[in-house]
Amino acid sequence: MYAVQLDVTPPTGAPYSQQGRATYRDFFAMFQVPFKAGAAWSMQDESGLADVVVLGATLAARLFPQGSAVGQTVSLEGRLYRVTGVLEPWSPMPRFY
């Protein structure tokens, strides 16, 4: 897992920069990351290098205030990603990752 800084283009409004983390799907189960909706991407998505993403609850609410982000697409760095899950707020201590 590593830190990323991406330009997010919301469905309406101006693009903005957002920090995040890039990881493999096993990260979520390994660290028991809580999901608010959806789940990590599938093994098929990962092996096929599909453009998929899991969003934090705050970002998901900002991008899709009218409903669920799961199944929607979001533009990151000008590339469309399918949202497979939305996380509950999660801030482990100590930060072991």
Side-chain angles (χ1 to χ4, degrees):
M1 183 183 65
Y2 56 92
V4 295
Q5 185 81 25
L6 301 169
D7 287 335
V8 177
T9 303
T12 59
Y16 60 91
S17 185
Q18 178 72 46
Q19 292 181 349
R21 297 257 170 210
T23 188
Y24 292 99
R25 73 180 298 278
D26 292 338
F27 173 86
F28 303 103
M30 183 183 304
F31 295 107
Q32 299 175 343
V33 181
F35 278 83
K36 181 176 185 175
W41 49 88
S42 69
M43 297 230 6
Q44 184 178 1
D45 284 337
E46 186 156 297
S47 64
L49 304 176
D51 293 331
V52 290
V53 66
V54 169
L55 301 178
T58 302
L59 180 57
R62 181 175 179 181
L63 292 173
F64 305 101
Q66 303 302 324
S68 176
V70 175
Q72 302 290 331
T73 58
V74 60
S75 176
L76 305 172
E77 293 295 314
R79 191 173 188 159
L80 293 178
Y81 288 79
R82 178 177 43 89
V83 179
T84 65
V86 176
L87 300 179
E88 291 280 356
W90 183 67
S91 184
M93 290 303 217
R95 294 186 180 218
F96 48 83
Y97 56 88

